[in-house]
Amino acid sequence: MIKNLYINLVLVFLCLYTFLVGIKGLSTAIEGLSSPDQIFPGDQVQLKKIKVADEVIKKAWVEALEEPNENGNFKYLFRKTNDTNQSVDEIYGTGNIKDKKKVASKWFIDATSSGFICLFIGIFATVIFQSSSTTTSLIVAMAGGGLINIASAVPMVMGANIGTTVTNTLISIGHIAKGQEFRRAFAAATVHDFFNLLAVIIFFPLEMIFGIFKTLSTKLAYQFWNENNIDVEFQSPIKAAVKWGLNQFKDIVHLISENDWILLAASGMLTLLMLFSIVKLLKNMVLEKVEAFFDKYIFKTAIRAMSFGVLLTIMVQSSSITTSTVVPLAGAGVLTLRQIFPFTLGANIGTTVTALLAAMVLNPIAMIVAFSHLIFNIMGIVVIYPIKILRDIPIKLATKLADLSAENKSIPLLYLLVVFVLIPFFIILIGG
């Protein structure tokens, strides 16, 4: 029996890994479909690297001043924040479209003038990338390069916290055919949603009026900033493994077609297949033994569960991955909603480490944005979790939504589509 348990555990992790490959494939396909192929004057372009005097700047954001010529060359304007007086130096240069990594259209930059729009940009970008760590690292890079200001960046990282929870909800859909299992899994997934939404409802207005995170982060950033920081970027072995798996998967898909729509469809099918496989395998496990292990060593107290969420997320550099691992366990009845809740809060803190690492190799402005993400997540826990009335709000809302979704299977799909896609998309579109 113990042997079968270990075999099933290995198979669960293999299926989870393959699920992550599918999610990454979805993200890559969506990015390929949504990222502009052409560059127009006023667009912001991320180049692999540029040279400014004797300094090489990697993943630099520049403003295109003209359309690329027949050879792909175009003139650009690079804005660099002066660490001495915080002024912005303007540097002109020439780039080539072959060095393009990402493009942010001019309308997107115009939309960032509103903190409210920036909140939904953070949500929508994280839904596309399926990782708040990726989104916040990108926001840090944009702020560090002078592409957006701190007042725009802080609401974006708040939005990233909301957007990252969509993966959990997708995982819970794997239980949709089983009433009670689905109710437990969907509640476990959406409790993360409702906590982050509650934190934004409380702190977003305060930030817009008083700039509390901007002020605290500025003081903290200049205490930690060191011009001699080593230019080393931590590479998560999990992300590297998923990237390798995606490359193999893309090679197979490209035997049929290199169209991004085909990759999107194939990734979606792979993701759904792995979701159902994880659920099936968990049913075959000796749940009593697994439950006893988790109760004794990981989820015995809220502090222990929260700490484990922090550490695990730091290791894998993705709160989406961390929290998604426990949703099937909730569906199978191994973990309760109240056990999972503090674990997801720990994941919120752990995911900020990626942005902090990215900021260390940039400048104090980038550090301010990274620290604002950390302070926001810590303040959310400090203010909400100790107060029972506030702590119970996400749990009660998640339970109620799960009950309704178990009765009407269209509700979770509408919830995903409306909250994470349609509302952010149309608000950004209108704002832009």
Side-chain angles (χ1 to χ4, degrees), residues 8 39 45 72 132 157 168 198 223 289 294 318 367-368 421:
N8 279 312
I39 297 173
V45 184
S132 62
V157 296
N168 311 341
L198 180 60
Q223 290 294 322
K289 293 183 180 297
F294 281 123
S318 173
M367 290 284 285
I368 292 169
V421 179

Side-chain angles (χ1 to χ4, degrees), residues 165-231:
T165 59
V166 71
T167 308
N168 311 341
T169 312
L170 284 170
I171 286 276
S172 68
I173 300 296
H175 301 259
I176 199 166
K178 306 293 181 181
Q180 193 59 35
E181 283 184 21
F182 177 62
R183 182 181 281 108
R184 291 194 296 262
F186 196 68
T190 54
V191 72
H192 196 192
D193 301 3
F194 286 117
F195 175 85
N196 287 337
L197 282 167
L198 180 60
V200 169
I201 289 170
I202 293 172
F203 292 114
F204 179 73
L206 295 175
E207 178 62 22
M208 292 298 97
I209 298 170
F210 302 108
I212 53 174
F213 295 116
K214 178 181 177 181
T215 302
L216 290 173
S217 301
T218 299
K219 292 179 180 179
L220 194 58
Y222 282 97
Q223 290 294 322
F224 281 83
W225 173 252
N226 177 9
E227 292 183 359
N228 297 318
N229 279 323
I230 301 173
D231 186 8

Side-chain angles (χ1 to χ4, degrees), residues 111-176:
T112 61
S113 60
S114 165
F116 182 72
I117 302 298
C118 287
L119 176 69
F120 289 92
I121 289 174
I123 296 173
F124 195 65
T126 309
V127 170
I128 291 176
F129 292 128
Q130 286 293 299
S131 170
S132 62
S133 299
T134 299
T135 305
T136 50
S137 297
L138 188 58
I139 294 167
V140 163
M142 293 167 72
L147 181 60
I148 57 175
N149 57 35
I150 298 171
S152 298
V154 174
M156 280 190 196
V157 296
M158 290 184 180
N161 261 26
I162 296 173
T164 193
T165 59
V166 71
T167 308
N168 311 341
T169 312
L170 284 170
I171 286 276
S172 68
I173 300 296
H175 301 259
I176 199 166

Side-chain angles (χ1 to χ4, degrees), residues 10-321:
V10 170
L11 290 174
V12 166
F13 280 109
L14 284 174
C15 287
L16 181 60
Y17 168 75
T18 311
F19 166 80
L20 295 174
V21 171
I23 287 290
K24 186 66 176 175
L26 285 170
S27 171
T28 302
I30 293 171
E31 186 180 354
L33 291 167
S34 61
S35 180
D37 291 324
Q38 291 181 293
I39 297 173
F40 297 99
D43 287 353
Q44 299 291 332
V45 184
Q46 189 184 47
L47 300 177
K48 292 177 182 177
K49 62 181 179 180
I50 64 172
K51 191 170 184 180
V52 177
D54 295 328
E55 181 184 5
V56 175
I57 300 175
K58 298 178 181 178
K59 299 180 180 179
W61 283 95
V62 301
E63 179 182 340
L65 301 177
E66 61 182 10
E67 292 185 34
N69 59 24
E70 63 276 7
N71 297 319
N73 295 319
F74 62 95
K75 293 180 180 179
Y76 66 73
L77 169 62
F78 174 66
R79 296 179 177 87
K80 183 181 180 183
T81 305
N82 190 309
D83 296 338
T84 304
N85 55 19
Q86 296 310 302
S87 63
V88 178
D89 299 329
E90 295 187 343
I91 301 160
Y92 294 87
T94 301
N96 192 280
I97 196 169
K98 72 176 186 297
D99 295 321
K100 171 180 74 72
K101 288 183 69 67
K102 294 182 176 68
V103 177
S105 299
K106 186 177 184 300
W107 73 265
F108 165 81
I109 303 303
D110 293 339
T112 61
S113 60
S114 165
F116 182 72
I117 302 298
C118 287
L119 176 69
F120 289 92
I121 289 174
I123 296 173
F124 195 65
T126 309
V127 170
I128 291 176
F129 292 128
Q130 286 293 299
S131 170
S132 62
S133 299
T134 299
T135 305
T136 50
S137 297
L138 188 58
I139 294 167
V140 163
M142 293 167 72
L147 181 60
I148 57 175
N149 57 35
I150 298 171
S152 298
V154 174
M156 280 190 196
V157 296
M158 290 184 180
N161 261 26
I162 296 173
T164 193
T165 59
V166 71
T167 308
N168 311 341
T169 312
L170 284 170
I171 286 276
S172 68
I173 300 296
H175 301 259
I176 199 166
K178 306 293 181 181
Q180 193 59 35
E181 283 184 21
F182 177 62
R183 182 181 281 108
R184 291 194 296 262
F186 196 68
T190 54
V191 72
H192 196 192
D193 301 3
F194 286 117
F195 175 85
N196 287 337
L197 282 167
L198 180 60
V200 169
I201 289 170
I202 293 172
F203 292 114
F204 179 73
L206 295 175
E207 178 62 22
M208 292 298 97
I209 298 170
F210 302 108
I212 53 174
F213 295 116
K214 178 181 177 181
T215 302
L216 290 173
S217 301
T218 299
K219 292 179 180 179
L220 194 58
Y222 282 97
Q223 290 294 322
F224 281 83
W225 173 252
N226 177 9
E227 292 183 359
N228 297 318
N229 279 323
I230 301 173
D231 186 8
V232 175
E233 182 179 355
F234 174 70
Q235 296 295 330
S236 165
I238 301 294
K239 286 191 173 182
V242 171
K243 185 177 181 180
W244 177 85
L246 175 61
N247 289 335
Q248 311 310 308
F249 180 64
K250 284 170 68 176
D251 288 343
I252 296 171
V253 173
H254 287 166
L255 293 174
I256 303 171
S257 171
E258 294 190 6
N259 189 299
D260 284 324
W261 285 107
I262 301 298
L263 177 61
L264 184 70
S267 299
M269 291 173 63
L270 179 66
T271 302
L272 289 173
L273 177 62
M274 289 304 105
L275 284 175
F276 287 109
S277 298
I278 290 171
V279 173
K280 183 71 175 177
L281 285 166
L282 283 171
K283 282 185 176 182
N284 295 332
M285 292 170 63
V286 186
L287 295 179
E288 291 77 11
K289 293 183 180 297
V290 177
E291 187 172 7
F293 171 80
F294 281 123
D295 284 341
K296 183 177 180 180
Y297 295 105
I298 298 177
F299 295 93
K300 187 174 182 179
T301 65
I303 296 297
R304 189 177 293 184
M306 198 177 294
S307 301
F308 185 68
V310 173
L311 293 174
L312 185 59
T313 307
I314 288 174
M315 288 191 293
V316 302
Q317 285 194 290
S318 173
S319 59
S320 299
I321 295 175

